[in-house]
Amino acid sequence: MMKLWGGRFTEGTDERAFAFNASLSYDRRLAAEDIRGSMAHAAMMKKQGILPAEDCDAIISGLASIAKDLAEGTLKIDMSQEDIHSFIESTLTERIGEPGRKLHTGRSRNDQVALDMRMYVRGEMSEVDAELRDLQKVLLDIMEANLETWMPGFTHLQKAQPVTLAHHIGAYFEMFTRDRGRIADALVRMNECPLGASALAGTTYPLDREYVAELLEFDRATGNSMDSVSDRDYCIESLSALAMIMMHLSRFCEEIILWNSDEYRFIEISDGFSTGSSIMPQKKNPDIAELVRGKTGRVYGDLMSMLVTMKGIPLAYNKDMQEDKERVFDALDTVHDCVTLFTAMMAEVRFRPERMERSAASGFTNATDVADYLVRAGVPFRDAHGIVGALVLTCIDRGISLDELPLEEYRKLSPAFNEDIYEAISLKTCVERRVTKGAPSPESMREAIARYRAMLAEEDAP
Ligand code: ARG
């Protein structure tokens, strides 16, 4: 097999060293980006008169035939090559002869791999964004259908105050909006083209770097050639955004698992997204949600691994940086799977409003509203808090809820209570009164949903 760098060597590479050094088994997934980048490089060399036009044309059509054959599966990747760059270049030379040997003019694998990886991460992160958007659409439909599905809101996993299912799901909608914002921010910074930095110090050929950047849909060429070949912070930024997405999904999964349990029974995950037990015939387990929660650790690991790999590398390129690929690929694959599976599972979840409402009606979720009732009658909030605490104790003693406590018991503690207390503390009133921006009332949530729908529609606009 022909090496790209054999000239200076008198002896062959140790077989074990070659295998250890090779990246083709995983960087083969950069084939399309590598070919696209090389085509742009050749087109630029033609425009600049660096190579004869007919050589550049031969290179471009040779690369196009390789891309086509790879896509159709008629060209197999030769695993004796070191990496995808070597494989494509040697295949090109096999096909078109001499001009193929000129492609690497003014270029190094250092700027080549920096380019390929940027294009790949850019494409994949946009894909993750689209997947999150699909998830948001599913969440919006659930919200719209559940504006008046009362349920307990929790703090410390203890029932706190009543909310609605729409409101609870809406919290996740906001989280995924910020996740998408992080992707958009990272995309802005990464969208600079490193090609032309060559090994580290640019080249003596009259490259037109901005032209290449434009051909490859970058905003501009990078500003410093040493930075261009040694910067992987766009990978770390992307991994960080991916880790955050997983953190949000994992919390959501934890709730789905709790809600699906026999203790809560707020929801039922469909058969298609549940699994059984090999020994206990009654079981229907939320494995998908558990796996998403579990895989979160792996994406965190990818982020940590990359941060540590990069921390001590002197400028410019060092082979340590080849380690970026498996970590970034793993995180991207994991997040793609988790977001799409989670979305499909949520689209089929059956909600049980009656169970949620019954749960909200117990556990004194309306205690704050009893206090607010007193405050409206002029009682200072601190006093009201004490009075309601005593009322709750009485209810606990008798095993009843605040709605079931007779009026005379209320009046024993404060003459400010009247018959209208029951209406004031019904679940419906408790939620409907919370009308400020972002609060759970159907009125506020309708406004939020309109905002969310408008946001998604704006993205659809041409
Ligand atoms: N496979 C290498 C990587 O992923 C490509 C760059 C090789 N450059 C070099 N100087 N050995 O980083």
Side-chain angles (χ1 to χ4, degrees):
M1 176 259 319
M2 252 273 300
K3 284 205 186 68
L4 295 180
W5 38 263
R8 186 229 181 279
F9 288 75
T10 49
E11 284 172 27
T13 316
D14 180 286
E15 234 173 75
R16 293 159 301 181
F18 179 82
F20 185 66
N21 196 43
S23 52
L24 185 54
S25 63
Y26 46 87
D27 67 17
R28 54 186 295 167
R29 72 160 91 182
L30 299 176
E33 286 75 15
D34 197 74
I35 292 173
R36 192 174 165 213
S38 291
M39 283 173 147
H41 183 59
M44 180 274 293
M45 289 199 290
K46 176 177 173 181
K47 178 177 94 69
Q48 297 295 93
I50 297 171
L51 291 186
E54 54 283 10
D55 286 352
C56 296
D57 292 340
I59 290 171
I60 292 170
S61 58
L63 287 169
S65 77
I66 295 174
K68 178 168 173 283
D69 294 352
L70 278 176
E72 287 171 0
T74 49
L75 172 62
K76 294 275 171 275
I77 291 188
D78 162 17
M79 294 307 291
S80 69
Q81 292 285 346
E82 183 181 332
D83 55 27
I84 189 66
H85 325 295
S86 321
F87 169 72
I88 304 245
E89 193 182 316
S90 63
T91 309
L92 179 68
T93 302
E94 264 167 36
R95 290 191 175 191
I96 67 168
E98 194 61 17
R101 301 174 60 77
K102 298 182 180 172
L103 167 62
H104 216 49
T105 312
R107 186 176 75 166
S108 154
R109 272 186 300 162
N110 296 352
D111 59 342
Q112 190 177 354
V113 75
L115 171 70
D116 294 1
M117 196 62 183
R118 264 183 209 247
M119 287 201 287
Y120 183 81
V121 174
R122 176 178 75 176
E124 295 289 306
M125 290 302 283
S126 304
E127 195 61 30
V128 172
D129 179 66
E131 288 157 2
L132 284 176
R133 184 165 192 271
D134 290 343
L135 170 56
Q136 286 191 307
K137 284 186 183 161
V138 168
L139 297 185
L140 264 186
D141 290 343
I142 297 172
M143 288 166 69
E144 224 148 41
N146 289 284
L147 285 166
E148 300 193 16
T149 302
W150 323 121
M151 70 178 285
F154 297 83
T155 62
H156 312 270
L157 206 50
Q158 308 272 337
K159 289 178 199 175
Q161 291 173 339
V163 294
T164 65
L165 180 60
H167 190 243
H168 196 120
I169 300 283
Y172 286 100
F173 189 98
E174 292 276 349
M175 291 177 231
F176 295 126
T177 301
R178 289 194 297 278
D179 287 334
R180 297 185 60 201
R182 270 180 281 276
I183 293 177
D185 291 347
L187 284 172
V188 168
R189 268 182 296 280
M190 85 173 74
N191 206 28
E192 296 187 342
C193 181
L195 202 69
S198 200
L200 76 164
T203 81
T204 54
Y205 300 98
L207 308 184
D208 184 346
R209 294 194 56 213
E210 297 298 346
Y211 179 68
V212 176
E214 200 187 308
L215 286 182
L216 298 174
E217 293 169 274
F218 285 97
D219 295 331
R220 66 192 73 82
T222 48
N224 177 294
S225 61
M226 288 182 83
D227 179 48
S228 310
V229 291
S230 56
D231 159 35
R232 295 292 182 275
D233 47 9
Y234 68 92
C235 293
I236 296 176
E237 228 180 319
S238 300
L239 286 170
S240 161
L242 295 174
M244 199 91 80
I245 293 167
M246 290 304 295
M247 182 267 289
H248 289 149
L249 277 181
S250 185
R251 292 183 77 175
F252 210 160
C253 283
E254 171 65 13
E255 300 207 293
I256 294 297
I257 293 162
L258 281 174
W259 293 357
N260 186 62
S261 70
D262 206 35
E263 282 63 29
Y264 279 76
R265 282 195 282 133
F266 282 7
I267 63 171
E268 195 182 331
I269 300 176
S270 69
D271 284 3
F273 290 88
S274 307
T275 52
S277 157
S278 59
I279 169 169
M280 297 165 282
Q282 84 283 12
K283 296 268 279 182
K284 197 176 138 187
N285 298 326
D287 287 29
I288 303 305
E290 290 170 16
L291 260 181
V292 172
R293 188 178 59 185
K295 284 177 189 288
T296 301
R298 145 182 202 152
V299 176
Y300 289 2
D302 291 328
L303 169 63
M304 278 307 125
S305 163
M306 194 69 217
L307 278 168
V308 178
T309 298
M310 292 304 294
K311 77 183 256 298
I313 306 183
L315 296 186
Y317 179 83
N318 294 261
K319 198 62 176 255
D320 317 41
M321 286 153 61
Q322 178 167 285
E323 286 289 303
D324 61 354
K325 299 193 187 53
E326 286 169 292
R327 301 280 59 82
V328 171
F329 295 164
D330 180 72
L332 283 167
D333 292 349
T334 306
V335 172
H336 285 315
D337 283 354
C338 289
V339 178
T340 48
L341 261 288
F342 185 81
T343 302
M345 179 182 76
M346 287 307 289
E348 287 189 13
V349 161
R350 185 165 78 84
F351 294 95
R352 312 177 88 161
E354 67 309 334
R355 290 278 314 171
M356 294 185 193
E357 182 167 347
R358 200 176 325 150
S359 171
S362 71
F364 308 105
T365 58
N366 50 2
T368 318
D369 296 84
V370 180
D372 289 345
Y373 175 94
L374 289 177
V375 169
R376 280 196 297 278
V379 181
F381 184 79
R382 273 293 144 237
D383 298 340
H385 189 283
I387 293 168
V388 182
L391 287 170
V392 167
L393 263 185
T394 311
C395 288
I396 291 173
D397 264 357
R398 297 194 183 183
I400 56 174
S401 69
L402 283 163
D403 313 67
E404 293 161 331
L405 190 68
L407 185 59
E408 63 265 27
E409 292 294 334
Y410 276 101
R411 294 184 63 89
K412 267 188 208 161
L413 286 170
S414 169
F417 285 118
N418 284 305
E419 192 55 49
D420 60 355
I421 178 65
Y422 298 105
E423 208 278 303
I425 63 168
S426 77
L427 271 185
K428 190 171 152 62
T429 315
C430 290
V431 177
E432 277 178 355
R433 279 239 173 94
R434 291 173 154 79
V435 291
T436 47
K437 182 182 178 187
S441 72
E443 189 187 327
S444 298
M445 283 315 296
R446 239 175 244 121
E447 272 172 37
I449 290 172
R451 252 195 332 272
Y452 301 150
R453 288 254 182 241
M455 179 190 98
L456 294 183
E458 202 175 301
E459 290 174 1
D460 280 337

